[in-house]
Amino acid sequence: MQIGNVTTPFGRRPMTLALVRRQIATTEIRAGKSADKWRVFRDVSEAREVLGLQDRSLAVLDALLSFYPDNELRQEAQLIVFPSNAQLTVRAHGIAGATLRRHLALLVEAGLIVRKDSANGKRYARKDRAGEIESAFGFDISPLLLRAEELAGMAQQVAADRAAFRRAKESLTICRRDVRKIITAAVEEGVPGDWETIEGIYIGLVSRIPRSPTLNDLRSILDEMELLREDVINTLEIQQKAKIIGTNDAHIERHIQNSKTESINELEPCSRAEQEAKPADNDKPKQETIRNFPLGMVLRACPDIVMYGRGGAIDNWRDMMAAGVVVRSMLGISPSAYQDACEVMGPENAASVIACILERAGHINSPGGYLRDLTRKAARGEFSLGPVLMALLRAHGQSDKQVG
């Protein structure tokens, strides 16, 4: 392989230390390494946005690779191509000269090729008596071989992100449709509830979707849209249960009024032992698993807890739980109350509840008693963290509008 020394660009083109490092790196390619040039080109095409390239840049790179005679880039081969601008223009589908120079510079800046300029800036090869290329000046494409694995990884990541983006977009579309139609049905059928406020939150979420959203934009809005959908469904379930209970109460009342007891045993009280042997269903605690909400959503609803994280930041659930312990102590909540909450709700949800209490600390007289009350409700399946987070998100949204 043609190695040579580090060379500087011809003419007015500046020299940078990055160019020096890239030229040195090409001398460190593993012995015997090889890669299919068109596979590498496909990886570059896939990752072009990450590399800062445009479609014309790919056309120029394709033209450069076409001047390399073999399909396989090899470490021991001569990896310098030396076409003239006129030849490159033809193979790059008639690209203009100024455009050609601009995209060659982009390929150099992206670290995919290195200039090997001659003394007069011309591109040519000098051959020995046997006809083998002794030295060449032009464009060194060995960085493509050096970075083959890196470029393949970048292409795979881009493909994975594209698939994740498509899934998130589909999920958000379905979630939007669900919320919109459920709200419409509830309003048309006269279901009790603050549907005007819920619809306002829905419209606010939809308006936050950018014209060209990123994956993070979609995930953030999807989290909140799913929370809103859960809130809407919970509201409908509560109304349905209330309707069923009301119907059953009326039915039982009519049954008592119309029934005539004929059995002596129905009027005879049972013994205390029999009563203790048959506990009432209402005495049995009903404990359900509480859903874990995304950390990002909790932090958006409860931003005050961030300052209690390590270094003033919370990057994961471990940091969140550590901050929860600090805030628990600051609020005067006993360790036993917090431990009970962790056992019933789970450590992540317990830390989230602490964050919610901190956010509303000015309105809660006894944080410890409040936490114990929520823990008891959670043990009976009567507490859901979703509506609390939604209320806080809603409050922050209203405050933002007032400030703006």
Side-chain angles (χ1 to χ4, degrees), residues 92-162:
H93 313 292
I95 189 171
T99 306
L100 173 66
R101 289 189 293 272
R102 183 171 68 252
H103 289 287
L104 284 171
L106 286 176
L107 291 171
V108 172
E109 186 179 349
L112 299 179
I113 61 174
V114 174
R115 292 182 184 273
K116 290 288 186 179
D117 289 346
S118 64
N120 59 4
K122 301 295 183 180
R123 301 171 201 148
Y124 61 90
R126 183 180 294 112
K127 298 182 180 180
D128 58 18
R129 293 182 179 181
E132 297 293 332
I133 295 178
E134 187 177 54
S135 60
F137 299 96
F139 297 103
D140 186 354
I141 59 174
S142 58
L144 294 172
L145 176 59
L146 175 69
R147 302 178 61 187
E149 295 84 2
E150 177 192 354
L151 294 170
M154 293 171 64
Q156 292 173 5
Q157 185 60 51
V158 168
D161 290 344
R162 186 182 297 114

Side-chain angles (χ1 to χ4, degrees), residues 95-369:
I95 189 171
T99 306
L100 173 66
R101 289 189 293 272
R102 183 171 68 252
H103 289 287
L104 284 171
L106 286 176
L107 291 171
V108 172
E109 186 179 349
L112 299 179
I113 61 174
V114 174
R115 292 182 184 273
K116 290 288 186 179
D117 289 346
S118 64
N120 59 4
K122 301 295 183 180
R123 301 171 201 148
Y124 61 90
R126 183 180 294 112
K127 298 182 180 180
D128 58 18
R129 293 182 179 181
E132 297 293 332
I133 295 178
E134 187 177 54
S135 60
F137 299 96
F139 297 103
D140 186 354
I141 59 174
S142 58
L144 294 172
L145 176 59
L146 175 69
R147 302 178 61 187
E149 295 84 2
E150 177 192 354
L151 294 170
M154 293 171 64
Q156 292 173 5
Q157 185 60 51
V158 168
D161 290 344
R162 186 182 297 114
F165 181 88
R166 185 174 60 253
R167 289 194 296 269
K169 190 174 183 180
E170 290 174 352
S171 298
L172 180 58
T173 300
I174 294 172
C175 195
R176 283 180 58 184
R177 182 186 65 199
D178 292 345
V179 174
R180 175 70 274 173
K181 291 196 172 185
I182 292 174
I183 292 175
T184 301
V187 172
E188 290 178 351
E189 297 181 19
V191 178
D194 191 3
W195 299 111
E196 183 177 352
T197 300
I198 293 176
E199 185 172 23
I201 296 173
Y202 168 79
I203 295 173
L205 286 176
V206 173
S207 66
R208 283 172 47 199
I209 303 175
R211 184 180 298 272
S212 299
T214 64
L215 178 59
N216 289 334
D217 292 333
L218 291 179
R219 283 175 171 170
S220 175
I221 297 173
L222 176 60
D223 287 342
E224 296 184 36
M225 190 67 74
E226 287 178 339
L227 183 58
L228 180 61
R229 179 173 61 183
E230 182 176 338
D231 193 21
V232 169
I233 293 175
N234 286 341
T235 300
L236 292 178
E237 288 180 348
I238 291 171
Q239 296 298 334
Q240 182 65 21
K241 289 179 181 179
K243 182 177 180 181
I244 293 174
I245 291 173
T247 303
N248 289 342
D249 288 345
H251 176 73
I252 292 171
E253 184 176 355
R254 289 194 301 271
H255 177 73
I256 292 174
Q257 291 174 352
N258 296 334
S259 62
K260 294 181 180 180
T261 305
E262 297 179 357
S263 173
I264 298 178
N265 292 333
E266 289 180 352
L267 300 177
E268 182 177 334
C270 61
S271 65
R272 178 175 298 179
E274 289 174 331
Q275 292 176 354
E276 293 176 353
K278 299 178 179 179
D281 291 340
N282 293 335
D283 296 335
K284 296 179 182 179
K286 179 184 179 182
Q287 183 173 346
E288 297 179 356
T289 302
I290 300 178
R291 172 189 171 187
N292 287 336
F293 292 90
L295 177 60
M297 182 184 299
V298 176
L299 295 179
R300 286 194 300 275
C302 311
D304 289 350
I305 199 171
V306 175
M307 69 178 69
Y308 298 95
R310 297 175 182 175
I314 294 177
D315 299 322
N316 49 54
W317 278 112
R318 183 185 298 275
D319 293 345
M320 180 68 174
M321 289 185 283
V325 173
V326 174
V327 173
R328 185 274 304 164
S329 177
M330 184 193 72
L331 293 176
I333 299 174
S334 65
S336 61
Y338 187 60
Q339 180 63 31
D340 291 344
C342 289
E343 292 176 356
V344 173
M345 305 178 189
E348 292 87 356
N349 284 319
S352 300
V353 170
I354 291 293
C356 294
I357 294 175
L358 174 65
E359 205 69 24
R360 302 285 295 168
H363 304 274
I364 299 175
N365 294 327
S366 175

Side-chain angles (χ1 to χ4, degrees), residues 21-22 24-30 33 35 73 79 111 141-151:
R21 287 193 293 269
R22 289 168 189 165
I24 294 175
T26 59
T27 67
E28 300 174 353
I29 299 176
R30 187 184 73 251
K33 183 177 182 180
L73 303 175
L79 294 175
I141 59 174
S142 58
L144 294 172
L145 176 59
L146 175 69
R147 302 178 61 187
E149 295 84 2
E150 177 192 354
L151 294 170

